[in-house]
Amino acid sequence: MNSLAILFSIILSVVYSEEIQSDPNGYIIFCPCMGRFGNQMDQFLGALAFAKGIGRTLVLPHLVEYPDRFSSSVQIPFQSYFKAEPLAEYTKVILMDDFMKNLAPKIWPKGNRTVFCYMSRGNANDCAAKDGNPFGPYWDKFGVDFDKSEFYAPLSFDPNFEKHRLEWKKRFPAEKYPVLAFTGAPGAFPVIETNVPLQKYIKWSDMIDFKADKFINQFKNDPKEKFIAIHLRNGIDFVI
């Protein structure tokens, strides 16, 4: 092997090792299982603030969609709609696929996966994290089964509540719980006012920007022409 090949091999090894370094403060992973796109993103802002508040890396979830003629929900990668880089300006984040492929086998292996919920769900004595749609299909997408449930009542997700913020770290230290996996988004709905400014870190992906510009431009005679956009809830939930 010549010197150039050796150097290239070393560089690859360094880059790869940096990519898979885990966060000693732990991770937050969740199913955005409440509502459709708008509700999911509303709660996402709370999850973003919560992750930063307790110092863990947020695993950016796939978003849940319910296409017509599908018997189950489908999971769309976060990066299909949004850019991850702007979110990293606010707090530590990692894409779901990268986490499951590079980190989960080591820090969150099969057979040792705990799920968190406020209290037992339904008639079960656990979180019943995969009961129903989209819960089951969401976790099945990543081959996740849970081995244990933990109840976090009476803690809240508001990092501004100092007592609860400290209690999260005390009750669920990263050394024992490297991953906090929630049955739903660890954020309030509707979003609390203090988290609303976080939307500035939500940037559309290049693909969405391209489609939006293409759609808008077909109605504009002049690139400088202004327009008004109206959001009408005229689907099955439309109320007069």
Side-chain angles (χ1 to χ4, degrees), residues 78-219:
F78 188 89
Q79 64 271 27
S80 294
Y81 287 113
F82 303 107
K83 296 176 180 178
E85 294 80 6
L87 293 169
E89 296 174 11
Y90 173 71
T91 192
K92 300 171 292 184
V93 296
I94 183 173
L95 295 172
M96 181 75 160
D97 293 321
D98 291 341
F99 174 79
M100 292 304 301
K101 178 181 178 181
N102 298 321
L103 294 174
K106 297 181 179 180
I107 67 170
W108 200 49
K110 292 183 178 182
N112 189 28
R113 290 175 173 171
T114 299
V115 66
F116 292 77
C117 56
Y118 191 80
M119 59 193 301
S120 61
R121 185 177 167 208
N123 296 322
N125 194 30
D126 57 27
C127 293
K130 296 183 65 176
D131 284 4
N133 180 34
F135 301 94
Y138 186 85
W139 295 114
D140 284 343
K141 170 73 175 179
F142 309 103
V144 171
D145 289 306
F146 295 106
D147 309 286
K148 182 182 177 184
S149 293
E150 284 279 356
F151 306 133
Y152 58 80
L155 300 182
S156 77
F157 298 129
D158 186 355
N160 296 313
F161 195 169
E162 181 70 5
K163 180 180 179 181
H164 282 198
R165 186 177 67 82
L166 296 175
E167 192 65 19
W168 275 106
K169 295 184 177 183
K170 181 179 178 180
R171 279 179 58 179
F172 306 113
E175 296 79 11
K176 184 177 180 180
Y177 301 98
V179 177
L180 298 182
F182 294 97
T183 54
F189 181 83
V191 62
I192 60 176
E193 187 174 352
T194 54
N195 292 337
V196 171
L198 298 182
Q199 63 186 298
K200 69 180 180 180
Y201 298 104
I202 307 293
K203 304 293 184 182
W204 294 111
S205 67
D206 291 338
M207 179 191 72
I208 296 297
D209 269 339
F210 174 79
K211 288 185 175 181
D213 289 341
K214 183 178 180 181
F215 177 81
I216 292 170
N217 289 334
Q218 67 179 316
F219 300 104

Side-chain angles (χ1 to χ4, degrees), residues 57-78:
T57 295
L58 181 65
V59 179
L60 300 176
H62 282 211
L63 297 172
V64 179
E65 293 189 357
Y66 304 88
D68 293 339
R69 299 182 296 277
F70 276 64
S71 60
S72 179
S73 60
V74 296
Q75 289 67 48
I76 309 299
F78 188 89

